[in-house]
């Protein structure tokens, strides 16, 4: 059982089915599965919701519905409400990144909830009063209103990232050691002489430039072998050319 | 001029107008304004794009269109392609958070690009070959395919956060000092005695519990004054009650 299984996403009176579907997809992308909807609207387009949920249709169908926010969060310890505004009772807010640490700590042993308001009006003060924390998502001062599924995505992404299960792909090939690297540079040196790329007096300066270029990132064994092979081929061509010219 | 002004979002052959509009909104929320579309499709629903862009309509209209990716990124130094898959030429990927540091460093002085592929097929290998970096967005192993605007949102959010312009709302009220805090606790102590809340021998133990409760978070001057006033009122009620009883 992962901590993320204890994270419940609560949408309060969402308007658009498309947004609800997109929320399901965002949750699914981040291994979060528990969706609750407070006071669903009769006008919501559930076909749109299904369409936008993509591969998260099961999640959408498994949603729980509650008449009030109090019922939707009854079993939760930490309850975080999202709010773009600050002011009255919203004076201490956490960024989604800060909250992820706090929330996951509690989610080790308890259900926690992240609560998102209506697309047009957000959460009311009485609803924020039920929350233990307020999350303020970083956004431009000029334009603080986020799309509902974008807000859920950022919060779920921070929870997922903080849970630490994901690591970006890393280079699997072995890093080249100095011996291989120096054999490669020696071949390039020979190539530059044989192809008459540079004057003898500029050669060492040119080699320093090449060293900087090739060692700026992590040079792997296959990288070094490709570069060495390439230089060897030019050496071979130079040799052929000189032989033909001499004949 | 902010570093974020140098960040260009490039969408390669996007299919759905709604996604393009949502991308504009996500960019706008994060102070990123430069949108380029590679090889726009004649079938794209631009009405949908306008609808979903909300307050970012100006951004949508100001988009630049290019026949090829090479032209869209011609003036950019760092070019980051997003990819869900790993493997061939995708062995070293950066998380959006890691990339934000690299990208912003270059964006101090140069245009940089973040490149997003088609909704159904992502970026082709020839397109990734034009990129200097690959970004892999953290996602569930079970479901790596993100909605296009969600992918843009996460990357823009990380760039915006790394640019450091945003700070969540902080408590503005002054923190209570020990003198005020102790006056408050003394009032509560008196209140517990006068209201006969607890036996004399349990009083100090109870006070320790109260101290823990009230100092667990940051207690402000207004907080302490509210709590003190509340206790004083109970003391006053107790005094009235005893006076009435004695009369």
């Amino acid at each position: 059982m992962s901590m993320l299984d204890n994270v419940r996403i609560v949408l309060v009176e969402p308007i658009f089915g498309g947004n609800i579907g997109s929320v399901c997809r965002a949750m699914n992308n981040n291994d979060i599965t528990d969706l609750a909807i407070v006071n669903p609207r009769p006008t919501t387009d559930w076909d749109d919701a299904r369409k936008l949920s993509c591969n998260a249709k099961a999640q959408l169908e498994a949603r729980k519905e509650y008449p009030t926010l109090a019922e939707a969060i009854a079993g939760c310890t930490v309850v975080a409400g999202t709010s773009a505004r600050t002011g009255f009772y919203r004076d201490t807010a956490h960024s989604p990144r800060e909250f992820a640490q706090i929330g996951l700590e509690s989610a080790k042993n308890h259900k926690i909830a992240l609560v998102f308001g209506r697309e047009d009006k957000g959460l009311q003060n009485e609803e924020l009063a039920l929350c233990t924390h307020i999350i303020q998502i970083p956004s431009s001062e000029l334009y603080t209103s986020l799309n509902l599924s974008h807000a859920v995505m950022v919060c779920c992404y921070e929870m997922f990232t903080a849970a630490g299960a994901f690591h970006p792909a890393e280079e699997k090939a072995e890093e080249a050691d100095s011996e291989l690297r120096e054999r490669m540079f020696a071949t390039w040196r020979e190539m530059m002489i044989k192809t008459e790329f540079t004057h003898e007096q500029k050669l060492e300066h040119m080699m320093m430039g090449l060293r900087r270029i090739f060692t700026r990132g992590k040079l792997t064994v296959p990288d070094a072998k490709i570069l060495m092979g390439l230089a060897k081929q030019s050496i071979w061509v130079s040799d052929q050319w000189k032989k033909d010219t001499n004949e």
Side-chain angles (χ1 to χ4, degrees), chain A residues 12 16 21 36 42 45 62 69 74 77 81-82 92 97 110 112 114 126-127 131 133 174-175 187 198 228 234 244 247:
Chain A
V12 178
F16 300 110
D45 183 340
L69 175 59
T77 51
T82 48
T92 310
R97 194 163 303 167
H110 305 284
I112 69 163
L114 274 75
E126 309 84 79
E127 289 159 349
C131 299
H133 296 75
E174 196 65 35
E175 201 164 351
T187 316
T198 183
M228 190 148 58
S234 280
D244 292 352
E247 269 166 11

Side-chain angles (χ1 to χ4, degrees), chain A residues 32-59:
Chain A
I32 293 174
T33 54
D34 185 355
L35 175 66
I37 298 186
V38 173
N39 194 24
R41 301 184 190 227
T43 49
T44 292
D45 183 340
W46 290 99
D47 282 337
D48 243 26
R50 270 180 289 275
K51 208 168 71 189
L52 272 287
S53 70
C54 284
N55 289 21
K57 283 187 186 56
Q59 223 125 327

Side-chain angles (χ1 to χ4, degrees), chain A residues 29-30 37 49 76 101 106 120 124 147 150 196 224 238 241:
Chain A
N29 286 136
N30 293 290
I37 298 186
C76 301
Q101 301 296 336
S106 214
D120 52 351
Q124 296 163 353
N147 167 275
H150 289 180
E196 298 169 21
S238 297
W241 169 55

Side-chain angles (χ1 to χ4, degrees), chain A residues 93-103 134 158:
Chain A
H94 294 275
S95 72
R97 194 163 303 167
E98 290 167 354
F99 176 76
Q101 301 296 336
I102 300 167
I134 292 175
E158 287 288 0

